[in-house]
Amino acid sequence: MSFKSSYFGLAALLAPFLATPLYADTAEATLALPSEATIGVEVVEKLTFTTDQARLNDILLHPTQTAGASHSLPEYCVLVGKAQLVDERIRITTQEATCIETNDADSHIFDGEFNASAYADDGQYGVACENEPCTLSPGQAFILTLDNAVEIEEQDNPSKELNLQRRQVDEEGIGNPVPREEAVPSEAAPEGAVPNEKVIQD
């Protein structure tokens, strides 16, 4: 599955998460998190592990409120990763993140590497799972800890540029041009004549 091509189709599945913006509101914004920062996440869809399928690739996660998390992500964000069941624990790692931070009419899009590993509430690596088959469902929150610091530059956003151009047009007063004046005939037509019709005199 291609994460980038499927992200916007999954937008309806993304739950909003109250977050403090992680970037400076400048022309070149950056989403930044320090190494070993922790965030709360959950799976987008139910995952099922069996002895025949103990490893899953291209799993999708999104942020959720979790006790013990040190940082938060933008309002709309999805992470792609992989998961493997080992000794009754689901080991989850992520590789990439796409996040959208809204700011009034504008939106900032961040898409880049995001290397993190999952830890349970008890601080152990992986999420405990002793059932058969082992499942992980939306609503089961766990902690991701960043393996490295994250700095993702803002991506080009055509809609943001269009909004900026519209605001500039409105401020300059040329958003609603004055209607063009109708042409005024140079001579009045004789009474009873049809406009623009040539009058033939005897």
Side-chain angles (χ1 to χ4, degrees):
M1 178 181 64
S2 173
F3 170 65
K4 290 185 178 179
S5 62
S6 63
Y7 169 71
F8 290 100
L10 293 166
L13 298 174
L14 299 181
F17 179 65
L18 300 177
T20 301
L22 301 173
Y23 62 90
D25 191 9
T26 62
E28 297 182 355
T30 302
L31 187 152
L33 283 168
S35 177
E36 298 186 358
T38 57
I39 58 172
V41 297
E42 63 183 357
V43 296
V44 171
E45 298 178 319
K46 182 178 179 179
L47 305 180
T48 300
F49 300 86
T50 64
T51 53
D52 295 330
Q53 189 173 21
R55 181 186 179 90
L56 298 174
N57 296 318
D58 296 328
I59 67 169
L60 298 175
L61 313 170
H62 66 84
T64 188
Q65 293 180 339
T66 308
S70 64
H71 290 73
S72 57
L73 287 173
E75 184 177 4
Y76 296 100
C77 194
V78 67
L79 313 175
V80 63
K82 58 186 178 181
Q84 183 174 8
L85 180 62
V86 178
D87 297 331
E88 298 184 337
R89 299 192 78 87
I90 305 173
R91 297 181 178 180
I92 299 174
T93 56
T94 64
Q95 296 86 41
E96 188 177 6
T98 296
C99 299
I100 301 176
E101 177 69 53
T102 58
N103 182 15
D104 296 328
D106 294 331
S107 59
H108 304 270
I109 301 175
F110 305 93
D111 182 16
E113 292 185 6
F114 195 97
N115 297 316
S117 303
Y119 288 83
D121 293 337
D122 57 10
Q124 295 189 51
Y125 177 47
V127 180
C129 187
E130 300 176 356
N131 300 326
E132 179 62 39
C134 175
T135 61
L136 187 60
S137 303
Q140 293 180 249
F142 54 92
I143 294 288
L144 282 180
T145 300
L146 269 67
D147 301 329
N148 309 104
V150 169
E151 290 189 4
I152 303 176
E153 298 293 333
E154 182 180 5
Q155 303 296 305
D156 292 337
N157 184 356
S159 63
K160 179 181 177 181
E161 296 297 328
L162 288 175
N163 288 336
L164 178 60
Q165 293 176 12
R166 291 192 184 100
R167 285 198 295 270
Q168 291 175 342
V169 167
D170 291 339
E171 290 172 359
E172 294 172 2
I174 60 176
N176 297 304
V178 178
R180 185 181 61 184
E181 295 183 0
E182 296 182 359
V184 179
S186 58
E187 295 182 0
E191 184 177 353
V194 178
N196 298 327
E197 180 179 8
K198 184 177 181 180
V199 178
I200 301 176
Q201 297 180 348
D202 297 334

